[in-house]
Amino acid sequence: MSDYKLLIGGKLVDGDQRLDVINPATEEVFATVARASERQADEAIEAAATAFPGWAETPIAERQAKVAALADAIAANADRLARTLTQEQGKPLAEAMGEVAWTEGYLRHYATLTIEERTIQDDANGLVQIRRKPLGVVAGIVAWNFPLLVACWKIGPATIAGNTIVLKPAPTTPVTTLILGELCQAIFPAGVVNIIVDANDLGGYLTADPRIAKVGFTGSTATGKKIMASAADSLKRLTLELGGNDPGIVLDDVDVRATAQSIFNAAFLNCGQVCLAIKRAYVHDSIYDAMCDELARLAEAAVVDDGLAQGAQIGPIQNKAQYEKVKGFLDRARADGNVIAGGEVMDRSGYFLRPTIVRDVTDGDQIVDEEQFGPILPVIRFSDVDDVVQRANASPYGLGASVWSSDVDRALQVAGRIESGSVWVNQHIAIGPHIPMAGVKASGLGVEQSLEGLAEYTQLSVINVARGG
Ligand code: NAD
């Protein structure tokens, strides 16, 4: 028996296996959860397939009410969810409370969305309507950086649109998702939401199953490619939210102190483990030294600690594999540039690395070209705007980007030339449930959030009626 159970066909069940979950701040097991076998993954898909026709027929107002009820349940359980999130993911409690509040807010917004039928022709020659129907069973596959929020980015739109879902968290962060399962069990009809846990061994099983109509995925580009290949056989619909290497381009006319603070926040939120974090800061030559110094000052001042400790601003890296990967980036960055803040692993248990600023690096260096997904920010010098646009666009990724200037018109001109799904001016990671979120190139496929994102959980269908002669 484990403390946290799977949700399959409306029942909370033990797993055929169990999985230990490690607190990254202590490196100790803090929970043991149910882990599904292939047989249980199969049961979950079958339960979702069985529930689908009834849920698809359920009036949208009732589906919206269920999603709103989930938002209420999350609000009512905010403290438990946030503390658990900090223990399994590592983020400071204040950030965990923020993730819980965001999750509630996204669900509340999804609960207001409807899928309208549109008439595009209604005249003597004919009537043409566009309808949108649910797809069937969705597989929601989630990464470990925002387990609760991203799970609900799948559950909300999938169920509002009339689909049923089998959701799978990342193996290192299953606990809050299983608590979410407890909440869903009390709200949704049996089989509409199913939650299974794996040890990185059931994702391929889900994405290959012909009963799955769509995969909504957040994670690495490498896994996104595997999912695309696996989904090809049954031509599944896909939404892939993958990696990024967001540039922040700082023009010569900014207020250095204020901009440094904003860039620091956007680079080190969640210990840098954000798909849309600033991962490369391009700073104009005339303010380069001042900006590096200010970023270094902020990094030195940051309080790095167990997320449950009072005053912690940055927690540990989420898991050992990522910790080792980021340390490898640090070794290379030390050789390629100058580490002016941080750069030390901390003398304590836990996957802690102080926020690190590296200057005098450039394109072609690993820390600039590749996604570090951790607390290291490279600061790169530029002197020519055309050149920096070209360097920003040279990345295979294209998730987010930002341009910083006291002259918004000037910033907008640069912003329009950046190849990425989102480009912000004087801010970064400004997202919301009403704002489409998309990635170009290797950063993904399709759109999440907003009516555009909801449409991706539907199949377009045209009704075309003859009239007249
Ligand atoms: P991952 O892509 O390996 O895992 C994400 C999810 O996919 C997990 O639930 C995992 O179990 C599942 N999965 C693994 N193999 C699968 C397969 N063959 N088919 C279907 N699902 C499968 O990512 P990760 O190990 O969590 O992180 C590795 C890298 O991904 C990081 O270093 C980072 O660069 C990137 N990442 C990006 C995001 C993002 O939001 N874009 C989030 C976390 C990690």
Side-chain angles (χ1 to χ4, degrees):
M1 288 250 301
S2 43
D3 296 339
Y4 300 94
K5 297 182 193 299
L6 312 173
L7 175 60
I8 300 177
K11 295 198 173 66
L12 296 171
V13 296
D14 281 315
D16 283 345
Q17 302 161 82
R18 297 187 333 158
L19 183 73
D20 287 338
V21 183
I22 288 172
N23 178 339
T26 61
E27 297 177 57
E28 283 169 9
V29 173
F30 91 98
T32 300
V33 303
R35 172 184 161 196
S37 60
E38 282 194 1
R39 179 189 70 78
Q40 289 180 307
D42 183 70
E43 275 180 16
I45 299 170
E46 197 53 37
T50 304
F52 172 64
W55 184 245
E57 288 298 313
T58 302
I60 191 161
E62 283 180 40
R63 302 202 300 256
Q64 290 169 329
K66 298 293 186 194
V67 172
L70 183 58
D72 292 341
I74 284 172
N77 289 275
D79 286 341
R80 181 182 178 213
L81 285 164
R83 286 190 74 80
T84 308
L85 194 51
T86 292
Q87 285 172 283
E88 72 173 336
Q89 204 282 333
K91 65 188 66 188
L93 194 54
E95 276 187 33
M97 287 300 285
E99 180 171 343
V100 174
W102 282 347
T103 307
E104 180 199 341
Y106 273 80
L107 289 170
R108 290 214 187 285
H109 181 82
Y110 300 143
T112 66
L113 299 180
T114 49
I115 299 156
E116 306 280 350
E117 185 174 292
R118 271 198 305 141
T119 299
I120 57 169
Q121 185 186 337
D122 185 2
D123 58 23
N125 295 322
L127 171 71
V128 183
Q129 292 176 333
I130 294 181
R131 297 184 184 174
R132 288 195 167 271
K133 298 179 175 172
L135 293 163
V137 182
V138 172
I141 301 180
V142 175
W144 41 257
N145 52 348
F146 290 88
L148 184 67
L149 180 67
V150 177
C152 289
W153 283 4
K154 317 299 182 207
I155 293 173
T159 56
I160 286 287
N163 305 285
T164 56
I165 184 165
V166 178
L167 186 99
K168 192 198 82 55
T172 55
T173 52
V175 190
T176 31
T177 316
L178 293 177
I179 298 176
L180 185 68
E182 293 170 16
L183 305 180
C184 287
Q185 193 232 3
I187 293 168
F188 288 95
V192 171
V193 177
N194 305 272
I195 296 181
I196 59 170
V197 170
D198 73 344
N200 253 339
D201 55 342
L202 291 178
Y205 185 86
L206 290 178
T207 59
D209 192 290
R211 290 167 294 177
I212 301 286
K214 176 189 169 86
V215 182
F217 172 73
T218 299
S220 65
T221 299
T223 304
K225 289 178 185 174
K226 284 188 200 159
I227 289 174
M228 216 168 163
S230 158
D233 206 37
S234 47
L235 282 175
K236 295 185 201 317
R237 276 49 183 160
L238 298 175
T239 306
L240 305 177
E241 201 257 294
L242 308 177
N245 194 5
D246 286 17
I249 299 175
V250 186
L251 303 185
D252 55 5
D253 59 357
V254 298
D255 173 335
V256 169
R257 214 179 156 90
T259 305
Q261 181 72 64
S262 301
I263 289 194
F264 184 84
N265 295 346
F268 293 101
L269 177 72
N270 204 28
C271 200
Q273 303 163 117
V274 184
C275 50
L276 286 163
I278 293 185
K279 298 188 177 123
R280 318 175 260 164
Y282 287 93
V283 177
H284 190 269
D285 185 43
S286 63
I287 52 166
Y288 184 79
D289 290 336
M291 183 63 76
C292 287
D293 290 350
E294 188 59 19
L295 286 168
R297 190 186 68 75
L298 293 167
E300 291 297 351
V303 179
V304 181
D305 206 344
D306 183 328
L308 289 181
Q310 192 89 30
Q313 293 170 329
I314 297 179
I317 292 170
Q318 200 280 315
N319 59 70
K320 189 162 177 25
Q322 189 65 15
Y323 179 58
E324 296 302 334
K325 182 179 151 192
V326 174
K327 282 196 297 181
F329 271 75
L330 180 60
D331 290 343
R332 284 278 292 276
R334 232 184 253 295
D336 292 335
N338 289 308
V339 172
I340 53 169
E344 308 112 42
V345 294
M346 293 169 71
D347 185 19
R348 58 179 290 174
S349 58
Y351 309 130
F352 289 98
L353 177 63
R354 283 207 57 86
T356 299
I357 307 292
V358 192
R359 59 170 286 168
D360 306 318
V361 280
T362 191
D363 303 80
D365 294 334
Q366 182 197 40
I367 192 66
V368 179
D369 285 4
E370 294 179 29
E371 183 188 30
Q372 65 276 48
F373 218 73
I376 309 179
L377 178 67
V379 190
I380 309 128
R381 193 190 294 268
F382 79 90
S383 52
D384 177 73
V385 169
D386 291 338
D387 175 53
V388 79
V389 167
Q390 188 270 326
R391 287 154 76 185
N393 288 341
S395 170
Y397 294 110
L399 199 53
S402 53
V403 184
W404 302 77
S405 171
S406 54
D407 180 343
V408 170
D409 290 336
R410 192 174 164 224
L412 277 173
Q413 286 198 354
V414 180
R417 298 168 64 194
I418 305 293
E419 294 163 5
S420 66
S422 303
V423 189
W424 294 286
V425 171
N426 295 332
Q427 58 181 355
H428 204 103
I429 326 184
I431 57 172
H434 58 303
I435 304 174
M437 186 173 139
V440 304
K441 300 190 282 185
S443 287
L445 200 71
V447 184
E448 287 200 290
Q449 316 309 343
S450 75
L451 283 172
E452 282 87 350
L454 184 63
E456 297 214 359
Y457 284 88
T458 64
Q459 176 61 54
L460 187 146
S461 166
V462 175
I463 304 290
N464 195 333
V465 182
R467 275 192 187 140

